Each structure stands twice: as structure tokens, then as C-alpha cells.
Amino acid sequence: MEEETALQHLRSKATEQLLREDWNESIKTYSKFISLCQQQISNTYNQSDLSKLQKSLCLSLSNRAEARLRLRDFEEALKDCDEALQIDSTHFKTLVCKGKIMLNLNRYSMGLDCFKAALVVESNCNGNLEVLNGLIEKCKKLDYLSRTGNFDVSDWVSSGFSGVCPELGEYFGNVEIKRSEISGRGLFCTKNIEVGSLILVTKAVATERCILPKCSNGVLGENAQLVMWKNFIDKVNESAKKCPKISHLISTLSIGENEDDLEVPDISLFKPETQGKSYVDKNVDVDKVLSILDVNSLVEEAVSSKVVGKNSDYYGVGLWLLPCLINHSCSPNARRLHIGDYVVVVASRVVKAGEEITFAYYDVLSPFNKRREMAKTWGFQCECKRCKYEEEMQSKPEIGDIEKGLERGQDVGCAIFRLEECMRRWVMRGKEKGYFRASFWKAFSEAYESEKTIRRWGRKIPALEVIVDSLVEVVGSDERVLKVLVRKLKKSGCGFGEMERAMKLGRGVYGKLVKKQALRILLELGLHD
């Protein structure tokens, strides 16, 4: 009788805490109730009493799972659901809770199975049939998207990014992980990929975002950045603590040393449907976590990214596991979009089967010497084909003269004319020209944006369209190039129907998940940034 009273007291207290949304305290109280209830079950032989205790245990496990779900402790919540379903495989509340967990873990087909099983016992829905059908449709939609990659955020873009971000799902295109000639391991295409096609869509382990204040000199506040970084580290550690799979995958990432000694993981390990329970829980020490985040975190305002729907003061940092394996090149073929907590990797130019997918870690529309300095801050020296070629050409005094002339304020039209004449004399072709045009993009952009320069040098320097095609071939689609092209076409009175080159360039920047009409809106918005 005393134990029964204790059980009733604990159950009432836990229920009250759950209703108050005091998740941590309700978990503690339910844990005490569950432990005591299990003891009672082991000592009870009366079938009627045993049945009541098992029902109470099943409901308590389900409620504790709900509280853990709210705290995003998915692995422990999943264990509670599985234990509850061993007692009653048709327990409606547990099936719904497990479905929600699977949905949060991006295991859409598994979530769908749970919701369908709950629908079979829909007589116990208590008016929640509409909610359940909504969850089923959501799982079906995300499962379809994760299999096909047919994402479309056009409505969100067309509405001016109003409301919440569109729902995305994890998507892995035709890619594999292999040894890289650039550094350590890399992500490679297994099939040809068109411009703008999706390569990868993946959710962050953790993110931290804010609008950072600027100091009087225009530099972002250092203290605010330190606070932001600390919060981000805490979030990553919390995620790793709650999920053995995340902890394991983080431990496999590079710390920037001995890259060639690192194991090449199978890409399936990064997919949501790969169960986390098969992983040994690795406690990654604090110093290693800091080194890993220092090397692998992605900044959301970086050159190779586009933060869709955010203002220019917006700043964020996050950890996305598979994109950590994408190496840098000064002749990149991919860029990323940040939408909510997801990173969307798109092909910024045609990528051939077997080719490594590469990002620009820093501004590749800069001269060779400046890129070399930027690479030092990242702790490496770029050895891509473009850098090797430009390094060989540094012996040409004309290149240094043009750079110095621009630094002294020389007319950009004159500098471009001299550069093009040099390339003609040196019999440069194709990508070789593109490399140098990308390095001197700042001069080209200033020239094409100046009516005075165009009037004076128009026929003596290449047309903007020629330069755009040349740049896309070597550095892929770039938003800055796109803006100059769109402004020029608008000034000349071209309608969007005549802007096929701009639309193609736009697909390389924003990807095919933004359809034609929405892309036009983005191009218009870009004119006013």
C-alpha cells in the first residue's frame, strides 16, 4: 500500500511538471516513477495488478520520451519509445512520439511507418486525426524530396522571404568520399552534374547566429564574436553528448594536421537513416573539439555562400558534417546556400564524373599574391591548377606593373587593355585567360560599371558577356559577376526575356531549387543590395 501511494504521488507530480512544460524536472520524476514501477512489476504475480503496472509504465515511458523530445535528446527519447512499444506495440501516444523523433532525425520513411501505425488505432486519436494526417503528409513530402532532390523554394522567395523558411530534407546526390590530391579526403561526383544542380542538402549539427555590432572602425565587435563562438561550442558539445553518432562523426573530422593519415569514411555513415546505435560513444576531448571546429566550421557570410532571406548585417557560424570534407580551390565548381539550418550545395559550373567538388574558402576573384596571403590565414597553400599557372606567370614583369598601376589609381580601362594585350602576345587560351581575368575582376567590374570608361575603352576591351563566360569556366557562377551583368543589361534596356545569360548565371548562384520567376525576383533584389 505504501509503495502504491508513492507511485501515485510520483505519477501526479510528473504529470503536473509535464503539463507545466518543466521538461527536465518531469524527466527526473518520471525516472523515479519508472524505476519504482519496474521494481513493483518484478515483485507482482497478480495478473490484474501486473497489467495495470505495465500500462502505467508504458505511459510513463511515453511521457518521458515526449519530455526528452522537447529537449531534443532524440537518442534517449527513442530508447524510451522502443521500451514502451515492447509493452504495447499499438500505444498511440508512443507511436506518434516516435514518429516525431524520426522526423527530427530526418529518417522520414521510418517516421511515416510510425504515423501510419498510429493511424490504424486512430479511434484513440481524441480529435487529433487532422494533426496525424498532417504529419503523414509531411513525412511523405520530405521522403520524396530526400530521394529526388526536387526542392523548390520559389514561393518563399517570391513572397519576399516572409514567414518561416521552407521545409527542406536531407539529400545526398551522386557523390562519394575519396582520397584527394588537394588535401586528405574530399567529396567527388560519381556522375556528370549540370550547372545549378543540387549536390547536397544537409542539416547543421549546431548553429549560432546574430547581428553583430560594429565598432567605430567598421570591424565586427570582438567581444560579441567571442560570446557567439562560446555559445556555438556549447551547442556542438551538447549535440555530441546527446548523440553517439554525431560524437563519432565529429571525432573523424580533421584538426588540420596529418590529413593523409585520416581514414576515408563511407558516405553512408553521414546519412540520417544510418542508425546511431551502432556507434561506440566516443568522448572527444575539449581541445580536439576546439581544433575540429576551428578547421571545419562554416561562416554564413563567407565568399562562397549565399544566405538566402537575411539582411547584410546578419552573421552566423555552424557545423555541417559532410560539407567539412569539401576542399578549397581557386577554381571552384560549387557554392553553398544557407536556408534555415540547412546548407544547400549546388554546382556553380558543370562538374564531370570523377571530379572533386570544391568551394572557395576565400575570395578567388583576387590576384594571385592576395589569394596566397588569404590562404596563409587558413593554414595552407593552394596548389590548384590556377595557382600553379599564375605562380609560373609571376616572372612576367608586366603582371606586376599592371597590379602596381591599379594600386596607384591607374585608369582601369587602360589596365584591362594592357592585360588583354599581354595575354594575346603570350598566346594564352581558354582557361588561361579566364584565370587572369578572374584575378583582375575588380578592374573589370569597375570598368563595366563606369559609363565614362566604356565610352573611352569600349571597343578596345572585351565585351562584358565575353568576360562572364570566361569567368564561369574557371571559377563558376559568382553573385558579384551576376550583379554587374544584370545592371549592364538593365541599363541597355534589355528585358528579362533577353537575359538568358544572366538567368543561366543565376542558376549557378542560387541553384535549380529557385525556379525562373523567383530567380527573376532575386536578380532584381540583387540590383539594390
Side-chain angles (χ1 to χ4, degrees), residues 92-118:
F92 176 79
K93 187 175 183 180
T94 307
L95 287 169
V96 172
C97 184
K98 184 174 180 179
K100 289 178 179 178
I101 295 166
M102 292 301 182
L103 199 51
N104 275 279
L105 292 172
N106 297 321
R107 300 174 192 168
Y108 314 116
S109 60
M110 296 178 189
L112 184 60
D113 290 341
C114 292
F115 294 134
K116 283 183 175 178

Side-chain angles (χ1 to χ4, degrees), residues 173-178 186-194 197-199 333-334 345 347 349-358:
N174 299 304
V175 292
E176 62 181 344
I177 304 168
K178 291 167 54 178
L187 203 61
F188 290 78
C189 290
T190 57
K191 292 183 179 180
N192 293 341
I193 299 179
E194 296 179 351
S197 293
L198 282 185
I199 296 172
N333 53 29
V345 181
R349 58 183 172 86
V350 173
V351 187
K352 296 180 180 178
E355 187 177 348
E356 183 171 358
I357 297 160
T358 52

Side-chain angles (χ1 to χ4, degrees), residues 5 20 61 79 113 135 146 179 183 191 221 230 253 259 271 291 349-350 373 380 394 397 423 444 472 499:
T5 302
R20 288 204 318 260
L61 286 164
K79 289 177 184 177
D113 290 341
L135 289 169
S146 69
R179 288 281 175 207
S183 176
K191 292 183 179 180
K230 181 186 179 301
L253 298 178
E259 296 273 351
K271 295 183 177 180
S291 297
R349 58 183 172 86
V350 173
E373 287 300 313
F380 68 88
Q394 289 301 299
M423 291 194 292
F444 279 102
V472 169
M499 296 178 68

Side-chain angles (χ1 to χ4, degrees), residues 185-434:
R185 306 159 299 181
L187 203 61
F188 290 78
C189 290
T190 57
K191 292 183 179 180
N192 293 341
I193 299 179
E194 296 179 351
V195 174
S197 293
L198 282 185
I199 296 172
L200 178 69
V201 181
T202 186
K203 194 174 185 180
V205 170
T207 59
E208 179 67 12
R209 303 181 174 101
C210 68
I211 295 177
L212 291 179
K214 290 184 178 180
C215 301
S216 56
N217 59 0
V219 179
L220 293 172
E222 186 176 341
N223 289 337
Q225 289 189 71
L226 289 174
V227 171
M228 185 179 180
W229 182 250
K230 181 186 179 301
N231 292 340
F232 172 57
I233 293 169
D234 290 343
K235 286 182 179 181
V236 172
N237 283 327
E238 187 67 18
S239 295
K241 189 191 301 181
K242 289 178 178 177
C243 181
K245 177 180 178 180
I246 288 176
S247 178
H248 174 85
L249 290 176
I250 289 175
S251 72
T252 66
L253 298 178
S254 167
I255 61 171
E257 300 174 1
N258 304 318
E259 296 273 351
D260 295 332
D261 297 334
L262 295 173
E263 181 184 351
V264 178
D266 191 278
I267 196 166
S268 64
L269 299 180
F270 293 84
K271 295 183 177 180
E273 58 267 27
T274 306
Q275 299 289 342
K277 63 183 180 183
S278 61
Y279 292 94
V280 177
D281 191 1
K282 288 187 177 181
N283 290 318
V284 187
D285 67 78
V286 176
D287 289 339
K288 186 175 181 182
V289 169
L290 291 175
S291 297
I292 287 170
L293 294 181
D294 188 47
V295 172
N296 296 283
S297 301
L298 294 180
V299 177
E300 291 186 324
E301 50 80 67
V303 172
S304 65
S305 71
K306 172 65 180 175
V307 183
V308 180
K310 299 294 180 182
N311 61 46
S312 59
D313 295 326
Y314 173 85
Y315 186 89
V317 62
L319 178 65
W320 290 267
L321 292 169
L322 194 54
C324 294
L325 300 176
I326 299 179
N327 285 309
H328 165 84
S329 172
C330 289
S331 185
N333 53 29
R335 55 183 290 115
R336 63 185 193 266
L337 305 176
H338 291 269
I339 301 177
D341 286 340
Y342 285 84
V343 153
V344 180
V345 181
V346 301
S348 61
R349 58 183 172 86
V350 173
V351 187
K352 296 180 180 178
E355 187 177 348
E356 183 171 358
I357 297 160
T358 52
F359 279 152
Y361 286 10
Y362 46 79
D363 189 2
V364 295
L365 294 182
S366 299
F368 171 77
N369 289 325
K370 287 187 177 180
R371 299 202 313 274
R372 179 78 22 124
E373 287 300 313
M374 287 186 281
K376 285 180 182 178
T377 65
W378 282 82
F380 68 88
Q381 181 171 305
C382 185
E383 297 290 347
C384 69
K385 289 181 180 179
R386 176 185 170 191
C387 283
K388 288 180 178 178
Y389 180 76
E390 289 190 68
E391 186 173 25
E392 291 175 3
M393 298 297 290
Q394 289 301 299
S395 59
K396 304 281 188 183
E398 293 91 335
I399 298 297
D401 290 343
I402 295 171
E403 289 180 355
K404 290 174 183 175
L406 287 169
E407 289 173 1
R408 291 194 300 266
Q410 181 187 40
D411 180 80
V412 289
C414 178
I416 292 172
F417 176 77
R418 290 179 62 196
L419 177 67
E420 293 292 327
E421 280 296 298
C422 287
M423 291 194 292
R424 183 182 61 80
R425 286 202 315 273
W426 298 333
V427 198
M428 285 187 180
R429 305 188 185 282
K431 287 187 176 181
E432 295 172 352
K433 284 186 175 182

